[in-house]
Amino acid sequence: ATMAELQEVQITEEKPLLPGQTPEVAKEAELAARILLDQGQTHSVETPYGSVTFTVYGTPKPKRPAILTYHDVGLNYKSCFKPLFQFADMQEIIQNFVRVHVDAPGMEEGAPVFPLGYQYPSLDQLADMIPCILQYLNFSTIIGVGVGAGAYVLSRYALTHPDTVEGLVLINIDPNAKGWMDWAAHKEELSGNSELIQKYRNIITHAPNLENIELYWNSYNNRRDLNFERGSDITLKCPVMLVVGDQAPHEDAVVECNSKLDPTQTSFLKMADSGGQPQLTQPGKLTEAFKYFLQGMGYMASSCMTRLSRSRTASLTSAASLDGNRSRSRT
Ligand code: BEZ
């Protein structure tokens, strides 16, 4: 980050306090206000493969990439990313970026069910819609955050538009065409009895656009191999953070993906106690990891880093680890 950018961040932190207010309370109030007031702006653009809807939060920051998210099958941007992006510690990070949350076609709130026989875009075509979004918003580069099918879409986009992707956070990526692992993942991902899982299972089974969800699911199952090969032209060129739940259904696929990417550009985060959707179950640990990822790219102001990292480094290292540490206890 340039000095000007660092200064910009520090200046915004110097807010006058109301009488009797401590800095902590003022900060919390500001945070709550920001979350309440920023409802996001939803837009749609036409693309060669149909229209696509996305919601933009925050104001564009000069010379900074947009954070662009792509959700998994069965979810939309809100159900997939709200717990992570509204997590308290996340605010300090994302306030420095504009966020563009894409809804796969037919997944946006209130989306009508597609007519029978509608040809849903392939995952490659979903990736080809992204340039239309960026052009509309006039953004030249992104940091992508994707889960499952969304991670695949962003990877495909990064392969075809490497110059526009500064970094990728890929949760539960499976770069290969559908195999037995998909069946296992589908069966296990929303199994279990935690309240959260119940809630999400309920959302999906009662979704008014269940037919649309099935179309996205079919496109995911019909994906082709990404064919990553370390050292070849077909690999991700940007910094990548791979994330998967320890013992989660996608673990093997993500491990294999890690072996196909450039080790100097890739970090691999296996999270304990996170199940099939770490961004929902472990927003705190993921926020922490995301912060280090951005820091590695030179994007975090030092004032924010020191405060957060002092208090959190220990908890992160005990909760999430690099590949290989299998001795932790879990519940
Ligand atoms: C955001 O600030 O980026 C955000 C807010 C609500 C839901 C999802 C994302």
Side-chain angles (χ1 to χ4, degrees):
T2 64
M3 269 323 283
E5 281 168 322
L6 293 179
Q7 273 160 11
E8 172 201 29
V9 172
Q10 274 148 15
I11 287 163
T12 59
E13 288 180 356
E14 280 171 27
K15 293 263 161 60
L17 295 179
L18 294 172
Q21 226 178 11
T22 65
E24 288 73 28
V25 170
K27 195 157 195 166
E28 268 168 35
E30 189 202 324
L31 220 156
R34 186 179 310 124
I35 291 174
L36 271 175
L37 290 174
D38 192 357
Q39 299 296 312
Q41 279 278 332
T42 299
H43 309 260
S44 292
V45 284
E46 286 305 319
T47 80
Y49 311 103
S51 91
V52 64
T53 299
F54 49 93
T55 306
V56 182
Y57 289 82
T59 40
K61 305 287 184 291
K63 288 189 275 172
R64 287 204 172 222
I67 293 175
L68 184 138
T69 72
Y70 218 108
H71 64 85
D72 202 357
V73 176
L75 306 172
N76 56 27
Y77 92 84
K78 259 192 199 158
S79 53
C80 192
F81 291 111
K82 195 169 161 178
L84 177 65
F85 282 78
Q86 291 206 334
F87 190 76
D89 285 354
M90 191 58 139
Q91 304 314 305
E92 268 184 287
I93 302 171
I94 60 175
Q95 70 180 350
N96 299 308
F97 297 89
V98 65
R99 288 88 65 196
V100 181
H101 302 285
V102 183
D103 276 322
M107 306 306 142
E108 65 276 16
E109 259 169 31
V113 171
F114 287 120
L116 212 64
Y118 171 79
Q119 181 68 46
Y120 197 80
S122 66
L123 294 197
D124 290 10
Q125 290 171 332
L126 293 180
D128 283 342
M129 291 174 158
I130 294 175
C132 304
I133 299 174
L134 298 185
Q135 199 172 24
Y136 176 92
L137 294 170
N138 204 16
F139 291 136
S140 45
T141 65
I142 62 163
I143 293 170
V145 180
V147 184
Y152 180 105
V153 169
L154 292 180
S155 299
R156 175 67 70 197
Y157 172 74
L159 284 176
T160 49
H161 300 80
D163 297 341
T164 69
V165 183
E166 294 195 32
L168 282 175
V169 176
L170 303 174
I171 303 169
N172 295 343
I173 178 132
D174 186 345
N176 294 327
K178 183 183 171 184
W180 66 268
M181 269 193 283
D182 288 271
W183 295 110
H186 184 46
K187 231 165 95 59
E188 286 172 43
E189 192 161 325
L190 289 176
S191 67
N193 276 319
S194 80
E195 224 171 274
L196 189 84
I197 303 274
Q198 293 286 356
K199 182 180 144 194
Y200 275 83
R201 191 188 292 136
N202 228 4
I203 290 175
I204 294 170
T205 49
H206 293 109
N209 61 342
L210 195 59
E211 288 95 332
N212 294 355
I213 294 176
E214 206 177 336
L215 293 175
Y216 186 21
W217 174 241
N218 288 340
S219 286
Y220 181 63
N221 284 333
N222 288 322
R223 70 190 182 278
R224 60 195 178 103
D225 281 0
L226 283 169
N227 283 323
F228 291 147
E229 217 43 77
R230 196 172 267 184
S232 83
D233 273 352
I234 312 173
T235 196
L236 298 173
K237 305 274 182 354
C238 61
V240 178
M241 180 166 85
L242 298 173
V243 183
V244 71
D246 191 357
Q247 302 224 311
H250 301 91
E251 190 176 337
D252 293 347
V254 181
V255 168
E256 191 191 330
C257 180
N258 186 41
S259 74
K260 298 282 173 67
L261 295 177
D262 176 355
T264 66
Q265 292 273 60
T266 310
S267 57
F268 180 23
L269 188 68
K270 212 185 263 191
M271 287 182 157
D273 305 328
S274 66
Q277 295 279 334
Q279 82 286 3
L280 299 176
T281 50
Q282 299 282 9
K285 287 176 204 163
L286 203 52
T287 295
E288 197 65 15
F290 188 44
K291 190 183 64 193
Y292 293 123
F293 182 67
L294 292 175
Q295 185 192 28
M297 296 168 63
Y299 278 125
M300 291 300 296
S302 53
S303 59
C304 170
M305 285 308 299
T306 41
R307 194 190 68 74
L308 285 174
S309 49
R310 255 202 314 272
S311 62
R312 300 299 179 130
T313 308
S315 71
L316 178 72
T317 45
S318 66
S321 72
L322 292 180
D323 189 19
N325 181 359
R326 313 197 113 260
S327 62
R328 293 178 312 288
S329 62
R330 29 185 110 71
T331 49

